[in-house]
Amino acid sequence: MPDEPAPSPTGGPPDDPLFFCDPTTRRVFLTRAAGASAAVTLGHGLFSGPDAQAAVQAEAGGGEAGGEEEVTLLINGRQTKLRLDPRVTLLDAMREHLQLTGSKKGCDHGQCGACTVLVEGRRINSCLSLAVMHDGDKITTIEGLGTPAAMHPMQAAFVKHDGFQCGYCTPGQICSAVGMLAEIKAGIPSHVSADLLGEMSASEEEIRERMSGNLCRCAAYSNIIAAVREVSGDKTGGEA
Amino acid sequence: MKAFTYERANTPAAAVKALAARPDTKFIAGGTNLLDLMKLQIETPEHLVDINRLGLDKIEPTPEGGLRIGALVRNTDLAADSRIRRDYAVLSRALLSGASAQLRNKATTAGNLLQRTRCPYFYDTTKPCNKRDPGSGCAAIGGFTRNLAIMGTSEACIATHPSDMAVAMRVLDAVIETVAPDGTTRAIPIAEFHRLPGNTPHIETTLGPNEMITAVTLPPPLGGLHIYRKVRDRSSYAFAVVSVAAVMQKNGRNRFAFGGLAHKPWRVEEAEKKETAAAVAEAVLAGAHTTPQNAFKTLLITRVLTSIFAQAAA
Ligand SMILES: Cc1cc2nc3c(=O)[nH]c(=O)nc-3n(C[C@H](O)[C@H](O)[C@H](O)COP(=O)(O)OP(=O)(O)OC[C@H]3O[C@@H](n4cnc5c(N)ncnc54)[C@H](O)[C@@H]3O)c2cc1C
Ligand code: SF4
Ligand code: FES
Ligand code: FES
């Protein structure tokens, strides 16, 4: 944990892990959020303290560094060569080395989904994967899905349905939703699919289950579901 | 995270050689359990061998009529395989009840079997834990035990094995195939794979220190009605409080395996001959060591079995 919680830039409560400040002071928030979330213990194992120091140390190449590794990532259609400490996660490589700060760090432990990106078309938690393990992989982040001028249909639907409040979970939600619809299309069943061998639908119940890896502390869930259902084109299972 | 060096292996033989070449080396597969624990410095390997590109990602029929699942097959792909969905539905269901879609897209068959406990004190590095730090004691005994084991516990450890997949594999009598650095292979029945804690809770399986899991084989399909019932504190993205994998047959040759009860998937084959839920539960739970916080698990198991028998009779 950082020794001293950084003063709140906009006068909000300094130890509230859900207090999000304006993007220009994101660094302050990040340091603080990483420290503060160590105190958020929800049940056993969930939201246990992320190791903020480790990220910083890996960042600085601290410890008895085991040398750097070369890795080529194909992010959002662009090929990038990096030399990285093997400790650097895919999430940190994108955020800290490539300035792709759309993907967010919520828990750093696979428990929230804020870091969700698409690797070879499949959604994964980029916080629980090492960048060096993705040599040659094709990665799509929120920045690669669309731009403000030419939004991906899922981005447009989130705007239309107000699928967020603070927006911190949103890049992960959108990448996850895109990956999820591809999984439904590929016929991959879920825990709530009544028939494992039947056709898969994007009913509200299915979306709730399939999106359970993305938490939203603002609880914008009903609007997120409305947005995803609109893009899915699925009319079964009642109105969202 | 402690510093480590990294290499990627290209063949299973090279992977086990690399594992044996230096101490404190670990394989990394999906990384969803290992990296989580490395960030907390509960796991501190000095060298990682990436086994993701060994080609062990196929599901193939066996000459006996079963299936051979490569160690690196992702949980999503295993659950979605049409043969698994049709002939081993209990396994599909168990996998789909675990973790989140993002995690299942990375998590592998071998990594899932080898995932470590979710005992809260194992995760809390300020507390004694014989599993994390052998000989230091067990903070769970006398502590918060609601989610901990009631069967096969020891004075040293009362942790459970958290996997859903392993419970289904236990009911199906899966066999774990391994290879050692000298090329020797072994086939370990899942009943003998996970260990009870005894005095060495840090030794969790019978896998050798330099052995690699190459595949898990499933015997020919059993037929019957496949059910996986998971009871948890929220309806998704949570570990089991208890779970039951069942294969129910018209002739009464039922099979049951249990999660959330012990340091390994729990199965009492003698109990499967009983004809009612209460009788099965009584035989399965004989010798239970409960605490006031987790004694409810015995009643919960009886009730889950009652609902499974009712579903099979319907
Ligand atoms: C938030 C969260 C929720 C979860 N919920 C559930 C749940 O509800 N149910 C459930 O069952 N699981 C759950 N999990 C656990 C998840 O299923 C495991 O993390 C995953 O299956 C581990 O697989 P992996 O390939 O990522 O393993 P890794 O993390 O890569 O490896 C785990 C261990 O296995 C070793 N290993 C891997 N492959 C081999 C091999 N071929 N031979 C020898 N050793 C090997 C590694 O060295 C390491 O020690 C959850 C995890 C998280 C983070
Ligand atoms: S129950 Fe086992 S894992 Fe939990 S604190 Fe005790 S020794 Fe450690
Ligand atoms: S940051 Fe929470 S899952 Fe990755
Ligand atoms: S966390 Fe604020 S919009 Fe989801």
Side-chain angles (χ1 to χ4, degrees):
Chain A
M1 294 233 305
D3 346 336
E4 206 62 309
S8 160
T10 47
D15 348 295
D16 177 358
L18 261 192
F19 175 72
F20 297 100
C21 56
D22 108 276
T24 52
T25 50
R26 186 168 45 216
R27 289 293 135 160
V28 177
F29 159 65
L30 268 182
T31 335
R32 207 154 44 79
S37 58
V40 184
T41 305
L42 280 190
H44 64 299
L46 279 192
F47 288 92
S48 52
D51 196 342
Q53 257 97 23
V56 173
Q57 203 181 49
E59 204 35 59
E64 317 101 61
E68 295 192 330
E69 293 286 327
E70 194 160 285
V71 58
T72 304
L73 302 174
L74 281 161
I75 303 195
N76 301 330
R78 207 173 287 164
Q79 180 168 317
T80 331
K81 229 182 213 159
L82 291 170
R83 285 195 69 79
L84 296 173
D85 183 309
R87 283 176 289 183
V88 177
T89 60
L90 179 58
L91 178 63
D92 286 337
M94 297 185 310
R95 291 185 52 87
E96 310 295 334
H97 294 261
L98 300 171
Q99 280 65 55
L100 290 168
T101 52
S103 308
K104 298 292 184 266
K105 186 182 283 190
C107 64
D108 213 18
H109 285 269
Q111 297 170 356
C112 77
C115 64
T116 305
V117 298
L118 300 163
V119 175
E120 302 291 334
R122 305 181 83 168
R123 49 179 170 160
I124 68 158
N125 305 101
S126 60
C127 70
L128 279 190
S129 213
L130 297 173
V132 289
M133 294 166 72
H134 291 283
D135 191 42
D137 280 355
K138 221 172 107 196
I139 297 155
T140 306
T141 70
I142 191 72
E143 292 92 340
L145 277 182
T147 62
M151 281 192 277
H152 183 280
M154 192 65 77
Q155 291 170 317
F158 267 67
V159 172
K160 177 177 162 197
H161 291 275
D162 239 348
F164 45 79
Q165 283 184 39
C166 74
Y168 197 75
C169 71
T170 314
Q173 298 278 4
I174 291 176
C175 287
S176 187
V178 170
M180 181 206 62
L181 291 183
E183 288 163 12
I184 292 180
K185 210 166 162 201
I188 294 173
S190 87
H191 174 61
V192 299
S193 309
D195 180 1
L196 280 180
L197 294 161
E199 201 154 303
M200 298 303 149
S201 85
S203 68
E204 178 171 340
E205 190 195 11
E206 284 281 359
I207 293 172
R208 280 185 186 280
E209 163 60 25
R210 291 174 186 266
M211 293 291 290
S212 72
N214 292 84
L215 305 191
C216 175
R217 293 300 294 272
C218 301
Y221 295 114
S222 34
N223 295 2
I224 293 171
I225 290 164
V228 178
R229 274 185 54 81
E230 177 172 298
V231 179
S232 78
D234 188 295
K235 298 278 181 284
T236 60
E239 280 306 302
Chain B
M1 229 190 282
K2 283 258 176 20
F4 58 85
T5 47
Y6 168 90
E7 79 181 280
R8 185 181 300 124
N10 294 314
T11 63
V16 276
K17 282 218 176 76
L19 184 68
R22 38 196 287 198
D24 287 317
T25 300
K26 279 208 162 261
F27 288 139
I28 185 160
T32 61
N33 191 229
L34 185 59
L35 288 172
D36 188 7
L37 294 169
M38 284 170 65
K39 287 180 184 196
L40 299 165
Q41 300 195 8
I42 293 168
E43 298 269 19
T44 52
E46 286 175 8
H47 187 61
L48 285 187
V49 178
D50 181 348
I51 56 171
N52 282 282
R53 300 187 189 183
L54 300 184
L56 298 176
D57 55 356
K58 289 163 198 74
I59 306 174
E60 293 158 330
T62 62
E64 296 75 33
L67 287 176
R68 187 168 187 274
I69 304 157
L72 274 293
V73 171
R74 310 287 156 179
N75 287 180
T76 297
D77 298 320
L78 184 55
D81 184 272
S82 59
R83 296 159 293 184
I84 300 286
R85 282 197 256 175
R86 191 185 60 224
D87 298 329
Y88 304 93
V90 66
L91 179 56
S92 242
R93 288 286 179 200
L95 284 159
L96 295 171
S97 77
S100 67
Q102 287 97 314
L103 289 161
R104 293 192 298 270
N105 278 343
K106 285 278 5 165
T108 64
T109 308
N112 192 315
L113 284 173
L114 292 168
Q115 65 174 295
R116 307 202 67 192
T117 187
R118 295 278 159 171
C119 169
Y121 303 100
F122 174 73
Y123 269 82
D124 182 350
T125 50
T126 67
K127 297 288 189 307
C129 168
N130 288 323
K131 187 183 279 299
R132 177 170 28 79
D133 183 10
S136 63
C138 169
I141 296 174
F144 181 66
T145 54
R146 180 175 178 272
N147 288 309
L148 301 182
I150 62 171
M151 304 304 303
T153 54
S154 74
E155 300 281 296
C157 178
I158 57 171
T160 60
H161 193 268
S163 169
D164 291 294
M165 182 195 81
V167 180
M169 285 186 168
R170 178 67 187 92
V171 92
L172 294 168
D173 277 333
V175 175
I176 291 130
E177 294 183 6
T178 71
V179 64
D182 63 3
T184 330
T185 59
R186 285 206 294 161
I188 311 168
I190 189 163
E192 293 158 29
F193 185 74
H194 295 102
R195 292 164 40 110
L196 287 178
N199 288 324
T200 52
H202 59 292
I203 305 172
E204 293 164 349
T205 68
T206 52
L207 193 70
N210 292 325
E211 244 175 328
M212 179 173 74
I213 299 177
T214 49
V216 176
T217 54
L218 299 177
L222 294 166
L225 177 65
H226 288 221
I227 298 171
Y228 188 74
R229 214 41 81 71
K230 176 172 177 176
V231 184
R232 42 185 157 172
D233 291 334
R234 58 180 182 197
S235 60
S236 189
Y237 202 16
F239 286 93
V241 174
V242 300
S243 68
V244 183
V247 178
M248 303 297 284
Q249 305 283 9
K250 290 241 155 39
N251 63 9
R253 291 218 185 123
N254 304 324
R255 293 185 180 201
F256 305 98
F258 302 84
L261 294 188
H263 203 252
K264 59 190 281 183
W266 196 251
R267 184 168 169 200
V268 180
E269 285 167 59
E270 272 303 299
E272 294 169 358
K273 300 198 180 96
K274 307 281 181 192
E275 286 168 16
T276 64
V280 173
E282 194 187 329
V284 166
L285 298 168
H289 275 273
T290 61
T291 68
Q293 289 169 27
N294 63 27
F296 75 95
K297 286 190 180 186
T298 58
L299 185 59
L300 199 50
I301 287 291
T302 312
R303 289 180 175 167
V304 174
L305 283 168
T306 304
S307 96
I308 289 173
F309 271 89
Q311 187 181 337

